Amino acid sequence: MTNGNTVTRERIAAMEPRIRPYVRHTPVLRVDMADFDRAPLAVDLKLECLQHSGSFKARGAFTNLLERAVPKAGVVAASGGNHGAAVAYAAMRLGHKATIFVPEVSPPAKLERIRNYGAELIVGGARYAEALAASERFAEETGALQIHAFNQEETLVGQGTLGLEIESDLPRIDTLLVAVGGGGLIGGIAAWFAGRIRIIAVEPEGAPTLYRAFEAGHPVDAPAEGIAADSLAPKRVGEMMFPIAEAFVERSILVSDDDIIAAQKALWNRVRIISEPGGAAAFAAVLSGRYAPAPGERVAVLVCGANANPATF
């Protein structure tokens, strides 16, 4: 099933060996929720927070740079931080110039990563949408190749390779919980699994992009607030991912900022995993009880980003 686009299992499978030299096969850690003062439950954590550049975004970035022709002006991206860091890292590895636009809400840990990868960093507005508009003007003026954080076929295909990897690591899971911002990650993963497991979206209450889209039947503007606003708060989910989500994502669960903060602290204090707010959101759904697995259900949680300073937890 293509849902009107070319983000298919076949394309994802063909892309995986192309990006494999540039991305890590990240580990899985099995935890017992009893260790977090909850009822006993085995949960597999896929630690994509240990990926190059600190998040899953490296997969989509390398897919874009390997699949598309990069002009002399290089590439440009707008990002709350993680996509920008990934594009900057991929450009550095492949020898291209990168210009990254970020909003004012981007945390220092993410900005430092972008600078360390040699990209030109420009602050372009208070929120992601404003940084995106500034990056689009830059692309028109310079001819730089735009790499969208989520509403781009190549981005979705690249993130879909994480679904392939999760299935390789955890072939018998029933349910996978995935955080959502613009939807590139869950869109790619859902395209890979194509209904063969239950996929649950998790979003902050302050940025319910997919939740609102499901209510309306199409992408609509949503609030862009909360502790995870740098990574999980675009105005709306991508047009390309929404048909995939409609077909293959069971539902969206909302978690509070307090839930996310508790998940960050628990991951650090109990298992020494550093996770940014967006990266901890999916685990927050299980820790808070907002997602309650059925007896015997085999649950996996994607921890997708680590660009944070644990001293702030």
Side-chain angles (χ1 to χ4, degrees):
M1 185 171 182
T2 63
N3 294 292
N5 60 47
T6 58
V7 184
T8 61
R9 284 175 51 82
E10 293 76 17
R11 189 172 175 191
I12 292 167
M15 196 65 223
E16 198 278 339
R18 292 195 65 194
I19 67 169
R20 178 51 51 198
Y22 305 103
V23 299
R24 293 179 179 135
H25 187 132
T26 52
V28 171
L29 175 67
R30 176 161 292 181
V31 299
D32 189 330
M33 293 306 295
D35 294 334
F36 299 90
D37 303 322
R38 302 296 188 269
L41 173 71
V43 174
D44 289 306
L45 304 179
K46 175 63 170 172
L47 301 181
E48 189 68 5
C49 51
L50 301 180
Q51 187 55 260
H52 289 298
S53 77
S55 82
F56 69 93
K57 297 279 191 176
R59 296 173 184 270
F62 276 109
T63 299
N64 271 279
L65 268 65
L66 292 170
E67 286 276 274
R68 304 167 69 194
V70 179
K72 186 177 180 180
V75 297
V76 60
S79 169
N82 284 342
H83 177 62
V87 171
Y89 175 75
M92 179 187 71
R93 286 286 306 273
L94 297 175
H96 300 298
K97 178 183 177 182
T99 304
I100 309 298
F101 286 78
V102 298
E104 295 167 3
V105 296
S106 295
K110 297 184 179 183
L111 304 187
E112 183 180 3
R113 272 195 182 272
I114 293 170
R115 291 192 183 98
N116 287 344
Y117 295 142
E120 182 179 359
L121 181 67
I122 301 172
V123 177
R127 288 289 187 267
Y128 169 78
E130 293 166 335
L132 176 61
S135 74
E136 290 170 343
R137 290 192 296 270
F138 179 88
E140 291 176 3
E141 293 166 1
T142 66
L145 178 68
Q146 283 186 271
I147 301 180
H148 199 281
F150 51 88
N151 199 36
Q152 179 82 39
E153 279 186 10
E154 290 81 4
T155 303
L156 285 158
V157 170
Q159 318 313 20
T161 67
L162 181 51
L164 184 158
E165 190 171 299
I166 290 170
E167 183 169 22
S168 173
D169 292 339
L170 300 166
R172 295 179 177 84
I173 59 171
D174 301 308
T175 304
L176 176 66
L177 280 77
V178 183
V180 174
L185 176 60
I186 201 168
I189 289 174
W192 172 258
F193 282 106
R196 292 175 297 121
I197 66 169
R198 178 183 298 111
I199 295 179
I200 302 294
V202 182
E203 302 180 84
E205 291 175 342
T209 53
L210 185 57
Y211 189 92
R212 291 283 180 88
F214 279 156
E215 285 184 330
H218 57 87
V220 293
D221 285 354
E225 304 298 336
I227 191 173
D230 63 303
S231 60
L232 300 183
K235 275 190 174 180
R236 58 172 65 190
V237 292
E239 298 284 344
M240 290 183 181
M241 68 76 61
F242 186 67
I244 303 171
E246 273 198 310
F248 301 131
V249 175
E250 182 177 286
R251 66 186 187 276
S252 174
I253 292 173
L254 302 182
V255 293
S256 70
D257 280 359
D258 286 346
D259 293 335
I260 293 171
I261 292 168
Q264 276 189 288
K265 290 180 177 179
L267 287 170
W268 175 245
N269 291 332
R270 302 300 173 96
V271 285
R272 280 302 188 257
I273 293 171
I274 297 173
S275 179
E276 65 191 81
F283 184 66
V286 178
L287 186 70
S288 67
R290 292 181 187 242
Y291 183 76
E297 184 177 346
R298 295 164 295 189
V299 177
V301 170
L302 182 54
V303 184
C304 58
N307 288 318
N309 182 348
T312 64
F313 295 173

